[in-house]
Amino acid sequence: MSKRHDVIAALRALVAIALPNADVMVLDDEDPAPTRLAPGGRVVIRSGDPGDPEVTLGLLTYHYSHRIPIELTAYPTSADSRGKVLDEMASAIGAAIEADRTLGDLAEWIEPEPLITDDIFITATQAAGKGETAVIADYSTSNPLN
């Protein structure tokens, strides 16, 4: 596997542990497209674009600052609004990131972006909340294809 794929897989595992009741998937991977929203919410991680690397010559190394988009979707609970549920999901992900800023030494550093929320209105069902964020993963590799 490539370093890019390993970083995304490690991020998926971190989010799945932080949100054990949510469906966590990488749509750009082999996960099937979701058909329903699970009661614990859904998290979709996209592969994103690692961008152009900075290159260190000598000991050839490619340094990436890879923006990995994350989409959160959840229904409100009887006690909490959609916005509060999404904030709680984002907070759990943020706490997991703070606990492991290197994804088990796969990255030099990971940093989340702020959550942007909105409502999704679906015919014949209650409205769900949607949140978008991203994690910036800084990592290096000796081969841009690995």
Side-chain angles (χ1 to χ4, degrees):
M1 281 199 266
S2 68
K3 181 77 169 243
R4 176 190 65 81
H5 191 271
D6 291 343
V7 167
I8 292 169
L11 182 60
R12 177 186 183 180
L14 180 136
V15 171
I17 290 168
L19 299 171
N21 296 322
D23 287 338
V24 179
M25 59 193 64
V26 178
L27 273 190
D28 298 336
D29 207 355
E30 59 262 359
D31 287 334
T35 56
R36 277 185 210 209
L37 183 56
R42 178 176 52 227
V43 179
V44 176
I45 300 171
R46 305 237 181 226
S47 62
D49 180 9
D52 293 327
E54 291 184 26
V55 180
T56 302
L57 300 175
L59 187 56
L60 189 60
T61 307
Y62 299 86
H63 307 280
Y64 290 94
S65 189
H66 185 164
R67 185 177 185 277
I68 304 168
I70 300 176
E71 302 164 9
L72 309 173
T73 312
Y75 286 123
T77 65
S78 57
D80 296 324
S81 67
R82 291 180 295 276
K84 185 170 182 186
V85 171
L86 290 169
D87 284 346
E88 289 171 354
M89 291 172 73
S91 180
I93 293 169
I97 288 172
E98 283 183 31
D100 184 8
R101 291 280 188 172
T102 64
L103 292 175
D105 292 329
L106 282 173
E108 283 88 35
W109 189 257
I110 61 172
E111 184 72 31
E113 291 182 351
L115 182 69
I116 299 168
T117 61
D118 200 359
D119 291 332
I120 303 171
F121 297 98
I122 304 168
T123 305
T125 188
Q126 75 185 97
K130 173 186 169 196
E132 294 180 5
T133 184
V135 170
I136 308 300
D138 293 316
Y139 57 88
S140 300
T141 181
S142 61
N143 183 336
L145 298 178
N146 284 346

